[in-house]
Amino acid sequence: MSASSQIEHKYPSNVRARRNVNDFMFGKLIGEGSFSVVYLAKDIHTSKEWAVKVCEKQQIIRERKQEYVKREREALNRLSGLPGFLNLFCTFQDSTKLYFVMTYARKGNLLQLMEKVKKFDVECVRYYSAQILHAMEQMHAHSIIHRDLKPENILLDEKLHVMIADFGSSRIDDNKKDNFSSDEVDESASESDEQSSKPHRKRGSFVGTAQYVSPEILKGRDSTVASDLWSFGCMVYQMVAGFPPFQGPNDYLIFQKITKLDLTFPNDFDHVAADLIGKILVLNPQNRIGVQDSSPYDSIRNHKFLEGIDFFTLRKMSPPFLISTLLSGECTKEDFSIDTYEFPDNIKPGLDNEQITRLLGQDWLKIGAPSVETSSSSVENTLKIYISDEEKHSLLEEQQSDMWHPFAEGELILKKGLVNKRKGALYVPRKRMLLLTTGPKLIYIDPVQMVKKGEIPWSEKMRAEAKNFKIFFVHTPHRTYYLEDPQGYALKWCQAIQEVYDKAYKK
């Protein structure tokens, strides 16, 4: 039996396949995180499909996430081979990126499934609650506290069985040394990054997602297995009701409801499920059902809501909703068909700039720039940067009626527009309103939340570069900003930035 076959079936913690980026063809983007993206990839030697998580080292260092990466690998190492978790096939790195090759969850995640089915019946809730609980028991037995359990992190395999994922926020509660060297992250650090300290996470620091975070974490106290049980209770509630137990227009109001235990149940909520949830969602973590149990959580297993569940054969069972929902006509067989993505014939192994370009959906080598004005005079007239103080004051008065004026910080908006902003070439874009102002400043704003997200720093070493008529980069000494103008005016943006740069730095 080959090494890869042995790992696929048994996943011993001390065996890892020797692979590098050129051993995989990258097919499509299937997920994203704050400093990583996940691609569907195929091993060129075995044709087996994997989910490959790609982390940019500079981004990890910039956001001081080294410990997150180390924790995730350690957790995956411990849990690989256990039912209910992604299996870590191998890890490797190159000069700029880290790669985690993991099980591909063909059916997406629990939240997507709930959105398809709309509302689970009781048998379906029992089935998935038991599977999640069983996985949690093993996770806690291996001294791992997840701290960010939520439906998006409960992935589903081809049999619609659960696999808990995303251990970057986890806590490992023993003294076993992680064999993941920090040098793997630090070797590509910039000079300024190397000088920065690497703070350790405080035991009670805030992690998690608003709707599922426990009150003790919100109050800065230690996270324990009881914190994961709280998140479990929230997920059970959501599976029954179709929405989370704590909701609000913003995180602050959600947190207020959690800390006050502002919990209500709809009139048609299953009363047995409500009894279990009510015993889990308790403010004092020590009073939550299951906390005083030795693992497995016998008091939860023996609750009437999970009565009759055979935890020994749980992973061999078919989900009950497959029959009930198909017969009711709420879902079709196509809703649950296996993802049969076909890798194009022309894909080359590796993840170089050409492959990244393909994955981003922009064929930069074949695309042609449209006919747009490029004369500096047209930009100059639009920008109005060569004006007197009196004219600027008058224009600022007019600008007060502009909804973006409060974000300009007293400066004149010279150019504005919606752009897609990436943290790096690999990252999924975020829609932002970009303001170019006198000062000079380049400010980007979340147009949905109406919150300033940051600025692109100006310096004499700053440089704007148009890749094509949609894509442009702003290079700064410590970071390159990847921007896309959907309207196709990347050249206009670069010319405008250059014009303001010339006025600011060229005498």
Side-chain angles (χ1 to χ4, degrees):
M1 184 181 291
S2 66
S4 62
S5 179
Q6 290 174 357
I7 292 171
E8 177 183 343
H9 291 289
K10 296 184 179 180
Y11 294 92
S13 60
N14 61 341
V15 178
R16 287 291 178 263
R18 292 185 178 181
R19 293 285 191 268
N20 62 52
V21 69
N22 293 317
D23 289 309
F24 297 91
M25 293 186 295
F26 291 80
K28 66 175 182 177
L29 188 146
I30 56 176
E32 61 167 317
S34 60
F35 52 86
S36 63
V37 288
V38 184
Y39 294 106
L40 172 61
K42 181 189 289 187
D43 188 322
I44 63 173
H45 305 288
T46 65
S47 295
K48 183 172 177 60
E49 293 179 354
W50 300 96
V52 180
K53 186 171 187 175
V54 183
C55 310
E56 286 193 353
K57 292 181 180 180
Q58 288 188 347
Q59 190 71 20
I60 293 168
I61 294 164
R62 188 178 301 114
E63 297 187 13
R64 298 183 176 183
K65 301 294 188 183
Q66 294 95 319
E67 291 300 317
Y68 283 71
V69 177
K70 290 169 67 177
R71 277 198 302 271
E72 177 151 37
R73 172 163 165 170
E74 173 64 15
L76 287 171
N77 272 331
R78 294 190 184 196
L79 299 171
S80 283
L82 297 177
F85 300 94
L86 292 176
N87 288 306
L88 183 63
F89 176 57
C90 65
T91 62
F92 52 86
Q93 63 173 310
D94 55 30
S95 60
T96 60
K97 302 177 187 69
L98 304 174
Y99 302 84
F100 288 49
V101 182
M102 302 175 290
T103 309
Y104 172 40
R106 291 184 176 275
K107 294 296 188 177
N109 60 54
L110 186 62
L111 181 63
Q112 294 169 330
L113 183 60
M114 286 193 283
E115 289 173 345
K116 286 180 180 178
V117 181
K118 305 304 180 187
K119 192 174 181 180
F120 284 178
D121 58 31
V122 172
E123 282 306 305
C124 187
V125 178
R126 279 166 35 85
Y127 174 83
Y128 278 110
S129 298
Q131 284 215 0
I132 296 169
L133 179 68
H134 186 239
M136 283 174 52
E137 291 169 357
Q138 298 181 79
M139 182 175 68
H140 292 161
H142 283 77
S143 304
I144 297 170
I145 302 169
H146 192 284
R147 303 202 297 180
D148 194 20
L149 287 173
K150 56 185 177 180
E152 295 95 317
N153 288 339
I154 307 297
L155 305 186
L156 302 170
D157 65 15
E158 64 274 5
K159 295 181 179 179
L160 290 162
H161 294 161
V162 308
M163 298 183 292
I164 297 180
D166 198 353
F167 287 86
S169 298
S170 66
R171 198 179 91 199
I172 299 176
D173 269 351
D174 63 21
N175 297 319
K176 291 181 182 179
K177 188 176 180 180
D178 180 16
N179 61 358
F180 186 61
S181 169
S182 61
D183 293 340
E184 295 184 32
V185 178
D186 294 345
E187 67 179 13
S188 65
S190 66
E191 203 169 296
S192 61
D193 291 326
E194 289 170 355
Q195 301 300 322
S196 65
S197 61
K198 298 170 187 170
H200 294 285
R201 173 179 291 282
K202 295 179 180 178
R203 285 171 62 86
S205 57
F206 172 75
V207 293
T209 303
Q211 289 91 340
Y212 311 94
V213 70
S214 66
E216 63 270 18
I217 290 181
L218 288 178
K219 294 177 180 179
R221 298 172 185 164
D222 283 358
S223 52
T224 65
V225 295
S227 306
D228 283 348
L229 285 172
W230 174 280
S231 302
F232 170 70
C234 292
M235 288 191 288
V236 177
Y237 182 107
Q238 186 169 353
M239 284 189 281
V240 176
F243 50 83
F246 305 101
Q247 298 185 87
N250 55 55
D251 287 357
Y252 174 77
L253 293 177
I254 293 173
F255 294 159
Q256 289 292 304
K257 287 189 174 184
I258 292 172
T259 55
K260 294 177 181 177
L261 196 61
D262 184 1
L263 176 66
T264 58
F265 294 92
N267 291 333
D268 60 347
F269 201 96
D270 183 84
H271 70 280
V272 181
D275 182 77
L276 174 61
I277 293 165
K279 292 176 179 176
I280 297 174
L281 299 184
V282 177
L283 290 179
N284 186 337
Q286 293 303 310
N287 292 337
R288 289 173 200 156
I289 186 173
V291 170
Q292 304 300 330
D293 297 349
S294 59
S295 187
Y297 293 115
D298 290 331
S299 58
I300 301 178
R301 285 189 176 204
N302 295 327
H303 188 275
K304 190 175 181 180
F305 184 68
L306 296 179
E307 189 176 37
I309 296 287
D310 185 350
F311 283 82
F312 292 102
T313 62
L314 191 58
R315 300 288 300 187
K316 298 179 182 179
M317 295 170 56
S318 296
F321 80 92
L322 281 175
I323 297 174
S324 61
T325 55
L326 286 172
L327 290 177
S328 67
E330 293 176 22
C331 302
T332 65
K333 292 182 180 179
E334 287 73 21
D335 287 326
F336 305 104
S337 60
I338 293 177
D339 187 344
T340 55
Y341 172 82
E342 296 290 336
F343 283 76
D345 294 334
N346 61 347
I347 289 183
K348 299 177 182 178
L351 200 61
D352 58 16
N353 288 336
E354 181 180 348
Q355 298 304 324
I356 292 172
T357 295
R358 173 183 56 80
L359 289 164
L360 294 178
Q362 300 288 341
D363 192 347
W364 292 341
L365 300 177
K366 297 179 181 178
I367 204 165
S371 175
V372 295
E373 293 184 5
T374 58
S375 66
S376 59
S377 60
S378 65
V379 176
E380 178 181 314
N381 292 336
T382 303
L383 292 182
K384 299 182 177 68
I385 60 175
Y386 298 101
I387 57 177
S388 66
D389 290 341
E390 184 177 346
E391 288 175 302
K392 180 179 178 181
H393 179 76
S394 176
L395 289 169
L396 281 171
E397 289 290 326
E398 295 177 14
Q399 185 178 287
Q400 290 187 23
S401 60
D402 188 318
M403 65 183 294
W404 305 108
H405 174 71
F407 298 98
E409 300 174 359
E411 298 290 344
L412 185 64
I413 298 174
L414 302 173
K415 184 173 176 60
K416 64 184 178 182
L418 288 171
V419 299
N420 294 319
K421 175 182 170 292
R422 301 178 189 273
K423 288 184 177 181
L426 292 173
Y427 288 78
V428 174
R430 308 290 191 185
K431 182 173 286 187
R432 298 289 181 251
M433 171 58 69
L434 185 63
L435 305 182
L436 173 62
T437 73
T438 54
K441 290 187 175 183
L442 267 170
I443 301 167
Y444 47 95
I445 302 150
D446 183 332
V448 177
Q449 301 293 332
M450 293 300 287
V451 174
K452 176 183 173 181
K453 302 301 289 187
E455 294 183 25
I456 299 176
W458 286 77
S459 72
E460 288 193 72
K461 295 183 179 180
M462 175 185 180
R463 179 171 62 88
E465 172 195 2
K467 190 70 177 181
N468 58 43
F469 70 94
K470 285 188 176 182
I471 306 290
F472 66 103
F473 306 146
V474 180
H475 302 283
T476 69
H478 300 297
R479 177 178 175 182
T480 294
Y481 293 80
Y482 295 75
L483 303 163
E484 177 189 18
D485 184 335
Q487 300 301 314
Y489 294 109
L491 294 176
K492 289 281 192 180
W493 273 109
C494 291
Q495 292 157 13
I497 292 168
Q498 185 64 46
E499 185 108 8
V500 176
Y501 174 92
D502 289 345
K503 185 176 186 298
Y505 295 108
K506 292 187 177 180
K507 305 298 182 184

